[in-house]
């Protein structure tokens, strides 16, 4: 494992500081048909507390006819919206949208947003308590209205808190795929499922595209407290954007960069660049999986080569303390004991992906009535969760199966399992754990000797004076090529 760290700088009070670490296993086979280098980028932001709210909030509530039964469902949605509204600080723009086959304003009464105050919060609460349910479900219409509302605001962070109890049955009215394309980069969306008719994969399609998270509640009365917690967490977000730039060297190409912790999110690069923008940061750490393709042709073996340089910045921010750009390395080898090894952090998140795939396969099998196959896939999920130490996922799985031997994948499907139990499991499986700590990335196997982390032996760049790993061929800061060293 290569663990190259730029420690978080100790900034002064009120200064935002950003940290960056790269974890990878540098050895690749020069004989592989499609060599790929995978690395985990850990990005940490500190010092955002006390920066003041920069949020504009839209609450989108499902008010389709299915929300009428049981009656507690609509009541819980109303109480959750009220709990969220009460948390909004004075001056924050907000709006409430009623969702069925259309998006309809609840508060204010016109397509606009109101600044939070004692009076506007009281009026919004009365409007929410007066909601009645009826009609179908077209989630694209709700998000499109939210987009138009937030576009008129100058708040740096736009956020939509969406709640639904049903599937997107009227998608033809305003196709969700097209709406998500229009909304991407405009705001962050968190989505919640309630009741027993919603589709977890629809919620994940929304939240992964819009950099949010999908969650659910089994008991309706739990929703208000969840909303209150979520809004309080949102109010700590004061950094609107953080950009990750990956500069590949000749012979390398960026395949993808995706967020893998705390939830999976899609990242797309800006036109003509390998620059990826992430949204809405507070004091937190996120992890990203980077995949680079590499061509060994013309490059030496048994030598550390620089494959790419990773940098982060905060667009438009003044005084933010940024980390030094960090290199991703490759070491071409003919030794399969090296090239077949995997970085522990990369393996951790790939196991989470396999767990999600097993849960999805179990869900599909259960829908088809294939209980034995569903049980088999849930056994595989339990085996993966046990191997990762994912206790929360194991606890969720235990609600669907009796776990006889998690390490062997032996489980028994409970007789009273329903379709919505699988939807809850899918949303739970979309939340990952942090994974191995820095510096715990796997056994060294460098032909009988320990592979020392390359961040420790450094040499100064003759152009910019930045300290680079001793074996690097390029400066990670300015890209200057070093002369070959013995």
């Amino acid at each position: 494992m290569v663990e190259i760290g730029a420690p978080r700088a100790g900034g002064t009070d009120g200064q935002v500081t950003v940290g960056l670490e790269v974890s990878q296993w540098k050895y690749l086979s020069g004989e592989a048909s499609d060599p790929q280098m995978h690395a985990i980028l850990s990005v940490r932001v500190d010092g955002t507390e006390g920066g003041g709210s920069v949020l504009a909030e839209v609450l989108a509530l499902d008010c389709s006819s299915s929300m009428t039964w049981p009656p507690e469902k609509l009541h819980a949605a109303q109480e959750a919206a009220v709990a969220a509204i009460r948390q909004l600080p004075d001056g924050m723009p907000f709006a409430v949208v009623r969702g069925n086959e259309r998006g309809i304003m609840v508060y204010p009464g016109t397509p606009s947003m109101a600044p939070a105050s004692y009076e506007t919060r009281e009026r919004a609460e009365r409007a929410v308590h007066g909601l009645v349910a009826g009609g179908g479900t077209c989630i694209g219409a709700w998000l499109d209205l939210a987009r138009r509302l937030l576009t008129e605001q100058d708040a740096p962070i736009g956020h939509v808190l969406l709640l639904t109890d049903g599937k997107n049955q009227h998608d033809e009215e305003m196709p969700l795929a097209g709406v998500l394309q229009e909304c991407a980069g405009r705001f962050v969306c968190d989505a919640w499922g309630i009741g027993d008719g919603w589709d977890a994969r629809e919620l994940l399609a929304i939240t992964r595209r819009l950099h949010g998270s999908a969650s659910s509640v089994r008991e309706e009365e739990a929703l208000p407290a969840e909303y209150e917690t979520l809004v309080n967490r949102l109010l700590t977000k004061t950094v609107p954007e953080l950009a990750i730039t990956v500069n590949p060297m000749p012979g390398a190409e960026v395949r993808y960069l995706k967020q893998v912790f705390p939830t999976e999110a899609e990242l797309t690069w800006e036109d003509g660049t390998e620059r990826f923008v992430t949204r809405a940061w507070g004091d937190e750490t996120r992890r990203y999986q980077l995949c680079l393709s590499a061509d060994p042709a013309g490059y030496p073996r048994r030598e550390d080569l620089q494959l790419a340089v990773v940098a982060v910045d905060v667009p438009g921010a003044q005084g933010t303390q940024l980390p030094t750009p960090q290199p991703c390395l490759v070491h071409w080898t003919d030794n399969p004991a090296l090239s077949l090894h995997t970085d522990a952090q990369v393996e951790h998140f790939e196991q989470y992906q396999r767990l999600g795939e097993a849960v999805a396969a179990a869900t599909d099998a259960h829908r088809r009535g294939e209980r034995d196959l569903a049980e088999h896939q849930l056994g595989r999920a339990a085996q993966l969760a046990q191997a990762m130490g994912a206790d929360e996922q194991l606890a969720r799985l235990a609600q669907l199966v009796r776990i006889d031997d998690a390490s062997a994948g032996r489980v028994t499907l409970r007789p009273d399992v329903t379709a919505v139990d699988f939807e809850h499991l899918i949303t739970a499986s979309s939340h990952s754990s942090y994974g191995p700590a820095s510096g715990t990335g796997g056994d060294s196997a460098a032909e009988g000797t320990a592979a020392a982390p390359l961040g420790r032996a450094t040499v100064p760049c003759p152009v910019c004076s930045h300290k680079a790993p001793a074996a690097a061929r390029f400066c990670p800061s300015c890209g200057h090529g070093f002369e070959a060293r013995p």
Side-chain angles (χ1 to χ4, degrees):
M1 188 220 35
V2 174
E3 186 76 45
I4 306 170
R8 290 175 296 185
T12 59
D13 290 343
Q15 182 183 45
V16 174
T17 63
V18 183
L20 170 66
E21 290 182 346
V22 178
S23 181
Q24 63 169 130
W25 181 257
K26 65 184 177 182
Y27 298 98
L28 287 182
S29 170
E31 307 303 322
S33 59
D34 182 23
Q36 295 181 10
M37 172 60 70
H38 291 264
I40 297 299
L41 315 180
S42 297
V43 181
R44 171 74 189 176
V45 173
D46 281 309
T48 66
E49 293 182 1
S53 176
V54 294
L55 193 71
E57 181 67 35
V58 176
L59 301 170
L61 300 182
D62 189 338
C63 290
S64 60
S65 57
S66 58
M67 287 289 288
T68 61
W69 189 260
E72 293 80 12
K73 189 161 49 177
L74 180 59
H75 177 71
Q78 291 168 318
E79 291 303 308
V82 167
I85 291 167
R86 288 175 178 171
Q87 301 304 309
L88 303 181
D90 286 353
M92 175 183 290
F94 78 103
V96 184
V97 170
R98 175 178 182 264
N100 49 30
E101 67 270 21
R102 296 185 297 146
I104 304 166
M105 293 299 303
V106 174
Y107 185 83
T110 58
S112 61
M113 301 183 73
S117 66
Y118 177 81
E119 292 78 12
T120 58
R121 286 191 291 266
E122 286 285 313
R123 293 175 194 143
E125 288 180 27
R126 288 196 296 271
V128 167
H129 280 135
L131 284 171
V132 294
T137 302
C138 179
I139 296 176
W142 316 351
L143 291 174
D144 184 67
L145 176 55
R147 176 188 62 80
R148 287 183 278 124
L149 292 171
L150 291 168
T151 297
E152 296 176 358
Q153 301 299 314
D154 58 3
I157 299 175
H159 183 265
V160 175
L161 182 48
L162 183 149
L163 175 72
T164 184
D165 81 324
K167 297 179 177 62
N168 191 33
Q169 295 177 329
H170 291 81
D171 188 62
E172 71 282 355
E173 299 289 334
M174 188 170 288
L176 182 59
V179 173
L180 290 177
Q181 183 67 25
E182 290 291 320
C183 294
R186 305 292 185 88
F187 58 82
V188 175
C189 179
D190 291 307
W192 285 75
I194 189 174
D196 59 6
W198 51 280
D199 187 328
R201 278 177 277 199
E202 283 184 350
L203 298 190
L204 287 173
I206 294 168
T207 57
R208 285 174 175 167
R209 191 75 175 91
L210 302 181
H211 293 200
S213 64
S215 303
S216 59
V217 289
R218 288 181 172 272
E219 305 296 334
E220 284 85 357
E221 59 268 22
L223 189 63
E226 294 285 357
Y227 262 41
E228 185 174 321
T229 299
L230 176 59
V231 171
N232 284 332
R233 187 166 68 246
L234 286 170
L235 294 176
T236 68
K237 310 283 188 182
T238 59
V239 176
E241 295 182 348
L242 184 148
I244 303 172
T245 302
V246 183
N247 292 313
M249 299 300 153
E253 181 180 325
V254 179
R255 289 289 183 89
Y256 61 79
L257 180 69
K258 64 180 179 181
Q259 181 179 298
V260 290
F261 171 82
T263 59
E264 189 169 306
E266 298 176 15
L267 299 180
T268 56
W269 51 57
E270 296 180 348
D271 292 341
T273 70
E274 282 78 21
R275 189 171 187 270
F276 303 80
V277 177
T278 66
R279 312 285 175 184
W281 286 75
D283 280 6
E284 59 186 298
T285 298
R286 301 182 195 173
R287 284 185 154 178
Y288 302 87
Q289 184 170 354
L290 171 64
C291 177
L292 298 162
S293 64
D295 183 0
Y299 290 95
R301 306 294 178 94
R302 297 180 296 278
E303 182 178 339
D304 288 347
L305 307 173
Q306 186 158 283
L307 197 58
V309 174
V310 179
V312 297
D313 68 273
V314 178
Q318 299 295 324
T320 300
Q321 191 160 349
L322 300 174
T324 301
Q326 299 297 319
C328 289
L329 305 178
V330 65
H331 187 115
W332 299 110
T333 180
D334 299 322
N335 185 347
L338 292 174
S339 61
L340 295 177
H341 198 72
T342 303
D343 176 75
Q345 292 186 19
V346 171
E347 177 61 20
H348 174 79
F349 291 109
E350 290 187 344
Q351 282 186 320
Y352 258 105
Q353 181 176 332
R354 291 192 285 270
L355 187 151
E357 291 168 352
V359 168
T363 302
D364 292 337
H366 186 265
R367 286 176 178 173
R368 297 191 300 265
E370 299 173 355
R371 290 179 61 87
D372 290 345
L373 180 56
E375 186 175 272
H376 170 75
Q377 293 291 352
L378 291 175
R380 173 163 169 70
Q383 192 174 32
L384 288 164
Q386 174 78 7
M388 289 187 292
D391 294 337
E392 182 178 348
Q393 276 72 16
L394 275 175
R396 295 276 188 161
L397 284 163
Q399 295 178 322
L400 282 75
V401 295
R402 187 184 73 240
I403 301 176
D404 303 310
D405 185 347
S407 60
R410 291 207 310 271
V411 303
T412 303
L413 193 64
R414 297 187 184 277
D416 57 347
V417 167
T418 63
V420 74
D421 291 322
F422 284 88
E423 306 303 327
H424 288 294
L425 184 60
I426 288 173
T427 58
S429 299
S430 70
H431 296 253
S432 60
S433 61
Y434 183 77
S438 299
T440 61
D443 300 327
S444 296
E447 300 174 346
T449 61
L454 293 175
R456 295 175 182 168
T458 61
V459 294
C461 171
V463 174
C464 70
S465 300
H466 169 74
K467 290 184 177 181
R473 291 172 61 87
F474 301 88
C475 173
S477 180
C478 69
H480 171 73
F482 296 137
E483 294 181 2
R485 292 187 291 272

